[in-house]
């Protein structure tokens, strides 16, 4: 059974770097075809995909946020880490990580429960 | 380039709900659908336009016609009330995008 869990700070000051960790079980990021994505959702707004990383270390970033994002995997620990530099209040959102497989840029299933993050001084 | 969904759809219990996802020049990519209930994470309910994951009730179906993909819920039940998001790829086919979401209200 696949499960994912997001962890990290729930309050970040503007200009700081937001670092979130996705710890998962039930699959391995060394398995061909497998990936993990990060998606966020500002309060009352739509979903926005931020970044994806795959078993072969291929990485994809949101074009609008690419300069601020870094995604890495720690395969031995079953973790994926997302960093968002220069945090701004508009980055306030619930951040989700999700499993993807069967190919790149496909659907996400399942998702973690999400972690709410507030950017405020 | 974006995926356009109606902000809201309302139906009575037992009726059929249709939620559309469209884009100018949809780049011939598959569309996937998620259901999100208040305070919960999204759940995949349809993938590759019309394929239903195990666990998704049979009353959910998907179809595609031209630049529009439709999620249909036949015999809507109160438990189907939720926000629904479509997902596909951007114009370059190199990144994931989501629609703006549709709030399904069961009257």
């Amino acid at each position: 059974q696949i499960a994912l869990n997001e962890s990290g700070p729930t309050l970040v000051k503007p200009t700081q770097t937001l670092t979130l960790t996705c710890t998962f079980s039930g699959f391995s990021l060394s398995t061909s075809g497998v990936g993990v994505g990060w998606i966020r959702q500002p309060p009352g707004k739509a979903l926005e995909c931020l970044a994806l990383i795959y078993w072969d270390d291929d990485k994809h970033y949101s074009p609008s946020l690419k300069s601020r994002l870094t995604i890495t995997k720690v395969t031995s620990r079953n973790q994926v880490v997302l960093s968002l530099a220069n945090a701004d209040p508009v980055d306030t959102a619930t951040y989700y990580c999700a499993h993807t497989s069967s190919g790149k840029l496909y659907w996400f299933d399942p998702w973690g429960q999400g972690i709410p993050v507030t950017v405020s001084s | 380039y974006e995926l356009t969904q109606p902000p809201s759809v309302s139906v009575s219990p037992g009726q059929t709900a249709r939620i559309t996802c469209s884009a100018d020049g949809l780049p011939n990519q598959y569309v996937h659908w998620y259901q999100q209930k208040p305070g919960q994470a999204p759940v995949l309910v349809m993938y590759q336009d019309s394929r239903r994951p195990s666990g998704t009730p049979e009353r959910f179906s998907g179809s595609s016609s031209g630049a529009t993909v439709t999620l249909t819920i036949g015999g809507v039940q109160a438990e189907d009330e939720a926000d629904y998001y479509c997902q596909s790829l951007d114009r370059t086919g190199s990144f994931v995008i989501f629609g703006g979401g549709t709030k399904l209200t069961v009257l």
Side-chain angles (χ1 to χ4, degrees):
Chain A
Q1 182 179 356
I2 291 174
L4 305 98
N5 185 64
E6 304 87 351
S7 60
T10 56
L11 179 62
V12 175
K13 288 181 168 42
T15 75
Q16 288 185 337
T17 295
L18 168 63
T19 300
L20 298 172
T21 300
C22 176
T23 303
F24 54 85
S25 60
F27 68 96
S28 172
L29 257 178
S30 61
T31 301
S32 179
V34 173
V36 170
W38 280 96
I39 303 101
R40 72 179 180 183
Q41 185 174 37
K45 296 189 177 181
L47 302 167
E48 177 186 22
C49 188
L50 301 176
L52 303 102
I53 190 166
Y54 293 94
W55 80 98
D56 57 0
D57 210 34
D58 186 23
K59 303 170 186 177
H60 295 252
Y61 292 103
S62 165
S64 62
L65 292 167
K66 185 173 183 177
S67 63
R68 299 172 54 206
L69 288 169
T70 304
I71 189 169
T72 58
K73 61 183 175 73
V74 186
T75 305
S76 60
R77 295 184 182 178
N78 282 351
Q79 291 181 331
V80 171
V81 179
L82 180 77
S83 294
L84 176 65
N86 194 23
D88 185 273
V90 299
D91 297 316
T92 294
T94 295
Y95 287 74
Y96 299 97
C97 63
H99 165 268
T100 181
S101 62
S102 302
K104 294 186 178 179
L105 301 176
Y106 273 31
W107 58 93
F108 298 106
D109 181 43
W111 297 50
Q113 84 280 4
I115 181 170
V117 177
T118 300
V119 180
S120 175
S121 55
Chain B
Y1 181 80
E2 58 185 25
L3 301 176
T4 301
Q5 300 180 235
S8 63
V9 169
S10 299
V11 296
S12 298
Q15 290 189 328
T16 296
R18 294 179 179 85
I19 301 172
T20 57
C21 178
S22 61
D24 293 333
L26 199 68
N28 200 30
Q29 298 288 349
Y30 284 122
V31 170
H32 321 296
W33 291 93
Y34 301 89
Q35 176 192 68
Q36 186 180 34
K37 296 183 178 180
Q40 298 183 19
V43 173
L44 181 74
V45 294
M46 197 69 59
Y47 65 99
Q48 292 182 325
D49 296 348
S50 59
R51 302 183 70 174
R52 196 172 47 239
S54 60
T56 298
E58 290 187 4
R59 62 181 180 275
F60 286 77
S61 63
S63 62
S64 175
S65 178
T68 300
V69 177
T70 302
L71 177 70
T72 299
I73 311 171
V76 167
Q77 300 182 6
E79 66 192 50
D80 300 328
E81 185 164 284
D83 292 329
Y84 291 84
Y85 292 92
C86 62
Q87 176 217 319
S88 188
L89 299 182
D90 65 9
R91 186 180 297 278
T92 67
S94 62
F95 201 69
V96 168
I97 57 173
F98 289 92
T102 298
K103 181 176 181 58
L104 175 65
T105 300
V106 182
L107 301 171

